[in-house]
Amino acid sequence: GAGVSQSPSNKVTEKGKDVELRCDPISGHTALYWYRQSLGQGLEFLIYFQGNSAPDKSGLPSDRFSAERTGGSVSTLTIQRTQQEDSAVYLCASSPRGQGNSPLHFGNGTRLTVT
Amino acid sequence: AQSVAQPEDQVNVAEGNPLTVKCTYSVSGNPYLFWYVQYPNRGLQFLLKYITGDNLVKGSYGFEAEFNKSQTSFHLKKPSALVSDSALYFCAVNTGTASKLTFGTGTRLQVTL
């Protein structure tokens, strides 16, 4: 079956511009996560959606970052007024129920470069 | 707060030799432990997990990991490395009540002929 799909795969933008990154999770998965992967920094948790519950936004690094999940499926991560330090790979993952013992299924990521 | 440490940035192994990638964790309560592998320009792929039960867990591609509660470790092992095992490996921890999986900084495994 189809896995987690992310678009675009690559995005180059100028400093100060806004960008939107899209994630289409595996059908039927109620939990959706966004992580950021920077060189040498491992994976940094950004935000978590579970069903209709309020999202866990505790990892968002600043108020320039926001995310929404429409209809319990597709999610969009928006970065406003991008900065060079936002350059990273943004990974989306989903899991069937968001339980702690369930593995995450990752997309291939969006590589964001801010010039 | 939960955390994971992967003390080695890179591990070099000759093909055919056994490999170990180290991971230690810190968590309140019982841990759920995971290993993921990342190939170039790809997302992370799940390898194996420890939730409860036997301390030795077997996973994909011949990998296994041993949960050691007293040492708070979950080292990844394989008896005989392949060149195709070369990739970036991440250890991660969660608990039954935590909403997010916490990852280590990753260990690059390089297997040479």
Side-chain angles (χ1 to χ4, degrees):
Chain A
V4 176
S5 178
Q6 292 188 244
S7 61
S9 55
N10 282 284
K11 176 71 176 180
V12 180
T13 190
E14 293 180 353
K15 177 181 173 181
K17 300 284 190 184
D18 298 351
V19 294
E20 286 189 351
L21 312 180
R22 176 187 167 105
C23 173
D24 201 340
I26 293 172
S27 177
H29 282 194
T30 61
L32 187 147
Y33 307 76
W34 283 98
Y35 283 83
R36 179 168 69 176
Q37 184 177 16
S38 304
L39 191 62
Q41 299 294 318
L43 271 74
E44 175 188 7
F45 168 78
L46 296 178
I47 189 169
Y48 162 66
F49 296 90
Q50 171 54 40
N52 295 321
S53 302
D56 177 353
K57 303 180 181 180
S58 61
L60 294 178
S62 77
D63 59 7
R64 296 187 295 104
F65 288 72
S66 64
E68 63 178 19
R69 188 178 185 190
T70 54
S73 181
V74 172
S75 177
T76 302
L77 177 68
T78 300
I79 308 173
Q80 296 178 310
R81 305 181 302 281
T82 53
Q83 304 295 312
Q84 288 186 331
E85 61 263 27
D86 300 334
S87 296
V89 176
Y90 290 82
L91 291 167
C92 177
S94 68
S95 74
R97 289 171 295 281
Q99 295 172 328
N101 59 1
S102 295
L104 303 186
H105 300 258
F106 282 85
N108 287 335
T110 294
R111 182 176 298 277
L112 176 65
T113 303
V114 182
T115 61
Chain B
Q2 55 195 42
S3 65
V4 175
Q6 293 183 242
E8 304 153 317
D9 289 338
Q10 181 156 329
V11 170
N12 299 307
V13 177
E15 187 173 60
N17 284 357
L19 69 87
T20 299
V21 182
K22 296 179 180 177
C23 170
T24 59
Y25 66 90
S26 174
V27 69
S28 298
N30 293 322
Y32 296 155
L33 293 156
F34 300 81
W35 276 101
Y36 288 81
V37 60
Q38 186 179 35
Y39 297 101
N41 300 314
R42 302 296 299 275
L44 278 68
Q45 296 178 27
F46 167 72
L47 272 181
L48 51 79
K49 67 178 181 180
Y50 171 82
I51 303 302
T52 187
D54 287 341
N55 290 342
L56 184 64
V57 178
K58 295 186 183 296
S60 306
Y61 312 121
F63 284 93
E64 58 190 28
E66 185 166 13
F67 171 63
N68 188 316
K69 187 173 183 177
S70 64
Q71 297 185 2
T72 62
S73 67
F74 189 57
H75 301 331
L76 181 70
K77 300 183 179 185
K78 187 174 182 181
S80 179
L82 299 172
V83 171
S84 57
D85 293 330
S86 298
L88 189 57
Y89 290 80
F90 289 94
C91 182
V93 69
N94 204 339
T95 68
T97 55
S99 60
K100 63 185 182 186
L101 196 56
T102 299
F103 286 85
T105 52
T107 298
R108 185 165 300 282
L109 175 65
Q110 186 69 44
V111 182
T112 54
L113 292 171

